[in-house]
Amino acid sequence: MTQPVTFHLADDERPTSWYNVVADLPTPPPPPLHPATHEPVGPDDLSALFPPELIAQEVTTERWVEIPEAVQEVYAQYRPAPLIRARKWEERLGTKARIYVKYEGVSPAGSHKVNTAVPQAYYNKLNGITRLTTETGAGQWGTALAYACALYDMKCEVWQVGHSYDTKPQRRTLIEVFGGTVHRSPSQMTESGKAFEEGHPGSLGIAISEAVELAAQDEGAKYALGSVLNHVLLHQTVIGQEAVKQLEKAGEDGADVVVGCAGGGSNLAGLIFPFLRGNLTEGRTTRLVAVEPSSCPTMTRGTYAYDFGDTAGLTPLMKMYTLGHDFVPSPIHAGGLRYHGMAPLVSHVVHEGLVEAVALDQDECFAAAVEFARAQGIVPAPESSHALAQARREALAADEAGTAPVIVVGLSGYGLLELGAFDSYLKGNLTGDSLLSDEELSASLATLPAVE
Amino acid sequence: MTQPVTFHLADDERPTSWYNVVADLPTPPPPPLHPATHEPVGPDDLSALFPPELIAQEVTTERWVEIPEAVQEVYAQYRPAPLIRARKWEERLGTKARIYVKYEGVSPAGSHKVNTAVPQAYYNKLNGITRLTTETGAGQWGTALAYACALYDMKCEVWQVGHSYDTKPQRRTLIEVFGGTVHRSPSQMTESGKAFEEGHPGSLGIAISEAVELAAQDEGAKYALGSVLNHVLLHQTVIGQEAVKQLEKAGEDGADVVVGCAGGGSNLAGLIFPFLRGNLTEGRTTRLVAVEPSSCPTMTRGTYAYDFGDTAGLTPLMKMYTLGHDFVPSPIHAGGLRYHGMAPLVSHVVHEGLVEAVALDQDECFAAAVEFARAQGIVPAPESSHALAQARREALAADEAGTAPVIVVGLSGYGLLELGAFDSYLKGNLTGDSLLSDEELSASLATLPAVE
């Protein structure tokens, strides 16, 4: 028998609850504030946008939140996502590190996003909602929500960041195959969109404003967010819970380091929070590393402050690492990492020193992606490539130090709809990776709202 | 606990041998003939193109052929491919049939093709070969071989059918990500290619001629074929062997009907031969159904006769269902099903009445694909959509008849690089599905070589 490389779980070993890290944190994260009064927001402030179950999950301090049976049924179609020992890549690197990849690309929409799209659609359906609006950057979130809405016979309307819409028609088609409708953002359908000239490359912040604006106007519609908020991060914790168990199956006593990419923060949080629980409650010392692009360096060069989640200032104020809510990142290919802020919960644990943050250049990430693809046969999303590049650094540094760590990498999705970016990389034509100057950064941060 | 929907196998339940159906057939399949002498070909006739291990597998009558340890190691990265109970699709169809999908899209190159690409590259590497040439239609085979060559540090050169090359640049990029080189066929690099005007849409037959021609000229190069030949079909039998065991895990006593699409025939054979073994040796009565496009109706309207495998007449003569070796199928989107012939082994079992063949229109297949995607979250390859459309027919017919069969469908790959075709379908613009007239068919068949 050959050595096992892929680790699954038995049907009765699947997570049946989501894990809420707030219950185990040494200090509570700062609350979101009302954009006008600067008072902590209550459930009522959110009810125009979200159904009550999701609002309850947003603010709960319970450690475990049960996953509804109907959602578990959908998860069972594609979960547990495989944990793969990347032996061929290890061989190519010549490393003694043992590298495990938690691969979310086998999910219906090709990324971790389905994990939260399904419960969000489900709870909205329970509340009689017939239409969901949302934004999408790289397109993975829009795809996931379109599929989830198809499951529950709901309409799905997606504002796709202009740059992504223009360069990736396949992504739009995929959303349409799943029954969704796609608009280029900024659009002329909303006041938030009309504030920008036609052909503007857009940003996640603008697209969020547009989707929020329309949802607030329609009684039968709600808004769904693909990252950032607590309930979204909560849903993603199935990733890390599975990985912890799968590592056991692989005969490992936990991980030495866990690496994930971070755009809004949900993929990272889903992977690392269950490992963070080991650090907080079992005395483990697993290093947890968040990787962001150096052209959108929210955690490594931004400020930890209250800011809006969107460009138009329609969302509550959240305490988070931010580059300023009107910051428009350069059009790098990892569209999912182009967000001015970072999930408040992720920001909090980074600020508390529980999680490290690093920033990497686009070129290094694509190089790691191609090397990984040739070894393992999986073409990673440009976003996930950031995690791979950091894992590569960790492995080579460990070899130099003479250690042989267990490295877990979050491979949040496939890059099959991003082959245009790979083509540019192979031809030496990668663009979009312009470093933020100190002056630009100061100017952007000067627009932060003043909060006591 | 929710009802299980995905069935995996334990590490020690994976197939360790390939299954050779020839050992169990009631009558032996007719041998291939030398193109000049019309005598049965011997191993020497094939040695310019293939390494000795593959030639031995081509002619063996042994029931089981051991899978080399090194190949099993690669298989272990992505196999067993999941068997998925398509409950959401069943619900949508309102059927009592139990539909199981054997999904090969989780493989490194997104289709079943890797199952044979890896052993072919492996055996060539053992024999000191440094370069492999091949053809590709939809691009799945070229992708798979490029990945396999990357594993063994060999060069991979791919002639891609012109129509596919022009319309699917992503596929070329994917092959390049895996380190392969792609040429548009017909090319100006070979005599076989020069026989056609520039811009000709090409065919698998022409692309095979080109790849064969170049391999025969270079001592360090061999040719690799992605379908048709016995050894290729042999390698694919891991699919059906796994499916038989996974059905047991699902609590089923075998299948009532097994459906696969057939272009060259390897995906179909790999899926159904292990079930055919049940019919031949255990008294089972599983119906086995091969589905082809009605615009390339090899088995349903072609002739069972000796013909060349390629357009230029460089290959041995094989007894098979054929539309004539210079037949150029209309440019439907299921590029992998555009082949003038059918694997001799598949042709034989169809001719003997052991396997049924049906032909379906492109529109019906895309409709089934979109319906399936919205239910299960998997966008199937246009090729695989043919199997889904037939499974749909089987399920609805069974409901009418008041039975509740177990249907197994071969989902040979994903359609993520074929979203242009889906876009055309959604817009009502599908083209390429022109039916073959009787006159065209007669003219094409008139070119068959005269064999006693």
Side-chain angles (χ1 to χ4, degrees), chain A residues 432-445:
Chain A
D433 194 9
S434 63
L435 277 191
L436 188 64
S437 73
D438 289 336
E439 293 69 31
E440 288 169 309
L441 181 58
S442 301
S444 178
L445 290 175

Side-chain angles (χ1 to χ4, degrees), chain A residues 14 77 108 170 177 374 377, chain B residues 2 14 88 108 170 177 374 377:
Chain A
R14 289 196 297 248
Q77 288 189 156
Q170 292 85 12
V177 166
R374 291 182 184 177
Chain B
T2 59
R14 289 196 298 248
K88 299 287 168 194
Q170 292 85 9
V177 166
R374 291 181 184 178

Side-chain angles (χ1 to χ4, degrees), chain A residues 1-9 11-14 69-70 72-74 76-80 84-89 91-92 106-109 147 150-153 170-174 176-180 369-370 373-379 414 416-417 419-420 422-423 426-427, chain B residues 1-8 11-14 69-70 72-74 76-80 84-89 91-92 103 106-109 147 150-153 170-174 176-180 369-370 373-379 414 416-417 419-420 422-423 426-427:
Chain A
M1 198 176 92
T2 57
Q3 289 183 296
V5 288
T6 305
F7 303 92
H8 288 281
L9 295 174
D11 287 321
D12 58 1
E13 294 173 310
R14 289 196 297 248
E69 185 75 14
Q72 289 192 48
E73 267 177 30
V74 182
Q77 288 189 156
Y78 65 97
R79 305 204 69 83
I84 303 165
R85 170 85 184 268
R87 288 186 192 275
K88 299 288 169 194
W89 194 35
E91 284 168 24
R92 200 162 285 230
V106 297
S107 116
Y147 169 62
L151 281 180
Y152 298 110
D153 285 319
Q170 292 85 12
R171 187 52 86 169
R172 194 198 64 232
T173 301
L174 183 54
E176 289 170 353
V177 166
F178 287 133
V370 168
R374 291 182 184 177
Q376 297 294 139
I378 296 172
V379 179
Y414 58 60
L416 293 163
L417 299 189
L419 286 169
F422 281 91
D423 190 43
L426 292 172
K427 290 183 173 140
Chain B
M1 199 174 93
T2 59
Q3 290 182 296
V5 287
T6 306
F7 303 93
H8 289 281
D11 286 321
D12 58 0
E13 295 173 311
R14 289 196 298 248
E69 185 74 13
Q72 288 192 50
E73 267 176 31
V74 182
Q77 288 190 155
Y78 65 97
R79 306 204 69 83
I84 303 165
R85 171 85 184 270
R87 288 186 193 274
K88 299 287 168 194
W89 193 36
E91 282 168 24
R92 200 163 286 231
Y103 184 42
V106 295
S107 116
Y147 169 61
L151 281 180
Y152 299 110
D153 285 318
Q170 292 85 9
R171 186 54 85 169
R172 193 199 63 231
T173 301
L174 184 54
E176 290 169 352
V177 166
F178 287 134
V370 168
R374 291 181 184 178
Q376 297 293 139
I378 296 172
V379 179
Y414 58 60
L416 293 164
L417 299 190
L419 287 169
F422 280 90
D423 189 43
L426 291 173
K427 290 184 174 141

Side-chain angles (χ1 to χ4, degrees), chain A residues 18 36 43 160 255 298 306 372 425:
Chain A
W18 294 301
Q160 184 174 10
T298 316
Y306 271 102
F372 180 81
Y425 169 74

Side-chain angles (χ1 to χ4, degrees), chain B residues 251-266:
Chain B
E252 302 291 1
D253 178 25
D256 293 296
V257 52
V258 183
V259 183
C261 65
S266 73

Side-chain angles (χ1 to χ4, degrees), chain B residues 141-160:
Chain B
W141 167 241
T143 307
L145 193 67
Y147 169 61
C149 285
L151 281 180
Y152 299 110
D153 285 318
M154 299 165 77
K155 278 189 209 162
C156 177
E157 242 168 302
V158 181
W159 276 260
Q160 184 173 9

